[in-house]
Amino acid sequence: MAITDMNMTVLWLVILVILVVIELVTMGLTTIWFAGGALVAACISIPGTPLALQILVFLAVSALLLFFTRPVAVKYFNRDRIRTNVESMVGRQAIVISEINNIEGIGQVNTGGMEWSARSSYHSIVIPVGAVVTVLGVDGVKLIVEERKEG
């Protein structure tokens, strides 16, 4: 059974709808780029473009959309996202409750009423108990901190 041009257009439109539905359900900015590729492939299938070219255009448009528009979309869609759990630790101030010494592999801080293992962002710097530090990042279950400079 030969696939007609109309059947290919319908197939691309079905793929488009499936990809859009997946995107609406997940809201993960994962399939929308391929939906754009499916839309263009559906458009070029109408006049009877060969299937190989339709697939090539689908892949090329999807890749271009992913490469050029995803960074912008992620920036705007995730702008109002509330950081949770460990992500929210970055930028916080903490108090050193156990000397931080990377060479000995020791150190703890208290921030937000919780105790965390901590390491200095500078390998050879020892941060004393009572120092105020800023959380720069998280490595596993350890906070990476830097002593806050006064002034």
Side-chain angles (χ1 to χ4, degrees), residues 2 8-9 20 28 36-39 43 59 65-66 72 80 88 95 103 110 113 117 119-121 127 130 141:
M8 279 312 302
T9 303
V20 168
L39 178 62
C43 290
L59 293 173
L65 286 173
L66 185 63
V72 174
D80 297 329
S88 67
I95 303 292
I103 294 170
N110 186 314
S117 294
R119 298 296 177 261
S120 172
S121 61
I127 304 174
V141 294

Side-chain angles (χ1 to χ4, degrees), residues 1-15:
M1 180 174 116
I3 297 177
T4 65
D5 297 338
M6 190 55 143
N7 286 345
M8 279 312 302
T9 303
V10 170
L11 178 63
W12 284 116
L13 291 175
V14 167
I15 292 170

Side-chain angles (χ1 to χ4, degrees), residues 127-138:
I127 304 174
V129 172
V132 177
V133 294
T134 302
V135 178
L136 301 178
V138 180

Side-chain angles (χ1 to χ4, degrees), residues 7-75:
N7 286 345
M8 279 312 302
T9 303
V10 170
L11 178 63
W12 284 116
L13 291 175
V14 167
I15 292 170
L16 169 68
V17 169
I18 290 170
L19 292 169
V20 168
V21 168
I22 291 170
E23 186 62 40
L24 290 173
V25 170
T26 63
M27 295 299 288
L29 292 176
T30 53
T31 60
I32 196 69
W33 325 111
F34 300 101
L39 178 62
V40 173
C43 290
I44 69 164
S45 72
I46 294 170
T49 306
L51 179 60
L53 184 57
Q54 292 173 37
I55 293 170
L56 184 64
V57 168
F58 165 75
L59 293 173
V61 169
S62 298
L64 287 171
L65 286 173
L66 185 63
F67 184 76
F68 287 111
T69 62
R70 188 174 194 283
V72 174
V74 167
K75 177 181 174 184

